[in-house]
Amino acid sequence: MGNENNQNQDKEPNSTKLKYVKLGFHYLISNALYLFLVPLTMALSHLSVEDFIHLFHHIKLNLVVVILCTMLAFFLATFYFMSRPKQVYLLDFACYKPDSSLICKRETFIKKTRLVGVFTEESLAFQKKILERSGYGEKTYVCKALLDLPVRNLCLEEARKEAEMVIFGAVDQLLAKTGVKSKDIGILVLNCSLLNPTPSLSAMVVNRYKLRGNISCYNLSGMGCSAGLVSIDLAKRLLQIRPNSYALVVSMESLTLAGYDGNTRSMLIPNCLFRMGAAAILLTNRSSDRHCSKYQLVHALRTHKGADDRGYNCVFQKEDINNRLGVALSKDLLPVAGEGLTNNFTTLGPLVLPLSEQILFLVNFIGRKVFKMKIKQYVPDFKLAFEHFCIHAGGRAVLDELEKSLGLSEWHMEPSRMTLYRFGNTSSSSLWYELAYTEAKGRIKKGDRAWQIAFGSGFKCNSVVWRALRTINSANEKHNPWIDEIDSFPVHVPEVAPIDC
């Protein structure tokens, strides 16, 4: 025991020294330009007036060359500014907060699930165990059709009512916050994975808000929880070819027809985890709107693992042996998600990480792959690139794994964990509840960078990076879903919270 304590004491000073060495390295690389300019400035300071006069005469004798170089630089600069992609700004966003009558406590969920009368005792016990370890609180929301007993209104009409409630609720708030008129919206992208009626949900939005006839309208379905960032990327690409436009993005999921009423264990998990929510986001490429926008879109990066059979099948909608429709989650989900995240991080890293981190990663990579050194893979410190992290609240296990692999603190994980606790897994809209939490806490300062990470069926892993254009004053966020209760968060979430029923 004494030897172990001595070994730990020996390791602590070494790790502390290594930490300061690494900090010094980062500082040296990050300030390399300034360090280079110091000796250059000192060298120039030793030049006399005669030296500068001689240099001027030399340039004067080569006036034609100077003029040609100036013209070339001018044309190259003009070409660059005309050909570079248009900047995309996030004007504002809104998250729907359902009425308190739609709150579904964990005990209520289990009781109503039992009263449905189709689940075996083993299936009920399994769902209870999932909920006890889910990290959910007692105020998540479900649709009215699932709260009614007996459950009899699980039909397309009720699903449409649910969609109208959450979509219109979010869009109404967004238009009120921004003051943008519906006729000025030129692009609409709506994503909902499991509900795909005819006419489409995007057409429902066009009809409700009387959007103009030449609107570019898209309805994304079957793309899972990562579809929200797919929608952002699609809207960004459309804004590159539609000058002076607004793009409305709506992310939601429908619960009414998504429930599974069988007893196959792998298909019961979605029943326990998905909850009701929606988000509406307004993007613009109008330079005149930059001063009133919240964020600038810096990067949108998508990684798709659908070519791999494991990735394609790990989240799969199908019938069970009794022809009951549901979504099955395979045991390959977490390994596939890990691979997708690794690929996405590797691609994103060079775009956002400081040069010092890229050098450390490259040296580690060469050591492992070229020289076959038995060293641990170096995980870049993304905290040097981002101040805020919004990781899709898909489940507690996923958040635990990402916290560990990215080396994040409890403070960094707080928005994701509190969103999971308060609203549950709202699918593609969860990232926006997390960003809203960060805003309500008053954490967003001008220049801060926020990283949204989502993953979903397919299998896909997507990233979007935002830069704050101004400091967000939480006192002005009246339509924020957290604002009336933010002072009570964060809360402690036990690993297991027993349900008494």
Side-chain angles (χ1 to χ4, degrees):
M1 188 68 180
N3 292 335
E4 290 179 3
N5 290 335
N6 291 333
Q7 289 174 1
N8 291 334
Q9 290 174 2
D10 291 338
K11 289 179 181 178
E12 287 177 6
N14 290 334
S15 63
T16 303
K17 291 177 183 178
L18 184 61
K19 174 184 176 182
Y20 286 111
V21 169
K22 186 176 178 181
L23 287 173
F25 174 73
H26 285 311
Y27 183 81
L28 179 65
I29 298 298
S30 300
N31 295 279
L33 178 61
Y34 301 106
L35 295 174
F36 170 76
L37 289 176
V38 169
L40 180 62
T41 304
M42 293 177 66
L44 291 174
S45 66
H46 287 83
L47 294 177
S48 64
V49 176
E50 289 77 10
D51 293 328
F52 282 105
I53 293 173
H54 177 73
L55 180 63
F56 174 75
H57 284 301
H58 180 72
I59 294 174
K60 189 176 180 180
L61 292 173
N62 294 276
L63 188 59
V64 176
V65 176
V66 172
I67 293 174
L68 290 175
C69 290
T70 303
M71 291 178 63
L72 179 62
F74 173 78
F75 284 118
L76 288 175
T78 302
F79 176 78
Y80 169 75
F81 284 108
M82 291 184 65
S83 62
R84 69 175 182 170
K86 295 180 177 64
Q87 298 295 338
V88 175
Y89 307 106
L90 191 160
L91 200 60
D92 213 328
F93 67 97
C95 299
Y96 180 68
K97 187 174 185 178
D99 186 77
S100 58
S101 62
L102 298 177
I103 288 177
C104 182
K105 295 183 177 181
R106 296 179 308 137
E107 181 181 347
T108 302
F109 178 88
I110 295 299
K111 287 182 177 179
K112 290 185 178 295
T113 301
R114 185 181 299 276
L115 291 173
V116 171
V118 298
F119 300 105
T120 64
E121 287 300 320
E122 290 78 9
S123 294
L124 291 169
F126 176 70
Q127 292 180 80
K128 180 181 176 183
K129 181 180 179 180
I130 292 293
L131 268 183
E132 289 177 336
R133 291 161 173 77
S134 64
Y136 282 27
E138 300 293 355
K139 291 186 176 181
T140 59
Y141 303 94
V142 299
C143 59
K144 186 176 183 299
L146 295 180
L147 287 174
D148 288 340
L149 283 177
V151 178
R152 58 180 181 275
N153 289 323
L154 300 181
C155 59
L156 183 58
E157 181 181 1
E158 285 298 316
R160 282 187 182 276
K161 289 180 180 179
E162 177 198 356
E164 290 174 353
M165 177 178 64
V166 299
I167 292 174
F168 298 161
V171 175
D172 286 347
Q173 285 187 19
L174 179 63
L175 296 180
K177 290 173 74 174
T178 60
V180 173
K181 297 179 181 179
S182 57
K183 66 178 182 180
D184 294 329
I185 297 173
I187 299 167
L188 170 63
V189 182
L190 186 147
N191 66 269
C192 179
S193 191
L194 295 178
L195 179 62
N196 187 26
T198 302
S200 66
L201 295 175
S202 60
M204 183 178 74
V205 175
V206 172
N207 179 261
R208 164 63 182 262
Y209 295 98
K210 308 304 177 188
L211 303 182
R212 62 199 200 196
N214 66 341
I215 189 169
S216 297
C217 185
Y218 297 85
N219 196 100
L220 307 182
S221 63
M223 303 193 78
C225 301
S226 66
L229 297 189
V230 175
S231 298
I232 294 294
D233 181 57
L234 175 58
K236 180 204 73 173
R237 294 172 185 269
L238 293 169
L239 285 170
Q240 298 302 318
I241 58 174
R242 294 284 298 268
N244 297 316
S245 295
Y246 289 108
L248 173 62
V249 175
V250 182
S251 294
M252 58 88 63
E253 190 54 82
S254 175
L255 299 182
T256 302
L257 298 178
Y260 169 65
D261 57 354
N263 289 285
T264 300
R265 180 166 289 196
S266 64
M267 302 172 78
L268 287 170
I269 299 175
N271 279 9
C272 306
L273 297 185
F274 284 102
R275 294 294 184 267
M276 186 167 64
I281 305 97
L282 193 63
L283 303 177
T284 180
N285 58 11
R286 294 158 56 112
S287 57
S288 58
D289 285 326
R290 187 183 191 279
H291 73 282
C292 56
S293 296
K294 282 186 172 181
Y295 304 93
Q296 178 181 335
L297 178 56
V298 182
H299 297 292
L301 189 67
R302 296 163 57 180
T303 301
H304 208 300
K305 301 288 291 182
D308 177 23
D309 289 343
R310 291 190 311 146
Y312 177 72
N313 291 302
C314 65
V315 181
F316 208 90
Q317 186 179 28
K318 62 181 182 180
E319 292 91 359
D320 65 9
I321 58 174
N322 296 313
N323 290 323
R324 296 185 181 277
L325 187 65
V327 176
L329 306 182
S330 79
K331 295 180 179 179
D332 291 326
L333 178 57
L334 284 180
V336 168
E339 293 171 11
L341 288 165
T342 300
N343 291 346
N344 192 268
F345 297 169
T346 303
T347 308
L348 181 66
L351 301 176
V352 298
L353 288 169
L355 181 60
S356 55
E357 277 297 289
Q358 296 187 48
I359 292 173
L360 290 174
F361 180 82
L362 179 61
V363 170
N364 177 271
F365 180 82
I366 293 174
R368 289 185 298 106
K369 300 297 183 180
V370 178
F371 296 102
K372 306 299 180 181
M373 297 173 64
K374 295 182 179 180
I375 55 176
K376 186 178 180 181
Q377 181 178 353
Y378 180 73
V379 179
D381 187 358
F382 280 95
K383 297 190 293 297
L384 296 172
F386 306 108
E387 286 74 31
H388 309 286
F389 295 80
C390 298
I391 302 169
H392 168 54
R396 186 170 195 160
V398 175
L399 295 182
D400 289 344
E401 185 60 32
L402 278 173
E403 178 181 6
K404 179 181 177 181
S405 61
L406 291 176
L408 302 180
S409 66
E410 292 183 5
W411 187 88
H412 290 114
M413 296 298 299
E414 189 180 307
S416 298
R417 292 197 186 280
M418 293 305 101
T419 295
L420 188 68
Y421 177 85
R422 177 62 182 84
F423 292 96
N425 181 354
T426 61
S427 190
S428 58
S429 65
S430 68
L431 295 171
W432 299 102
Y433 288 89
E434 295 167 17
L435 189 57
Y437 179 92
T438 307
E439 290 186 353
K441 279 291 185 182
R443 296 179 178 178
I444 301 292
K445 309 300 179 185
K446 183 177 180 179
D448 281 1
R449 297 151 298 178
W451 182 15
Q452 291 182 316
I453 313 167
F455 30 86
S457 58
F459 188 86
K460 298 177 291 296
C461 178
N462 304 320
S463 289
V464 165
V465 178
W466 305 96
R467 179 182 291 111
L469 296 175
R470 55 186 170 90
T471 298
I472 307 299
N473 186 352
S474 58
N476 298 330
E477 297 298 306
K478 297 180 181 178
H479 293 290
N480 189 303
W482 296 91
I483 207 65
D484 58 346
E485 53 184 306
I486 191 63
D487 292 336
S488 61
F489 290 94
V491 298
H492 172 68
V493 183
E495 291 188 11
V496 179
I499 301 174
D500 298 324
C501 65

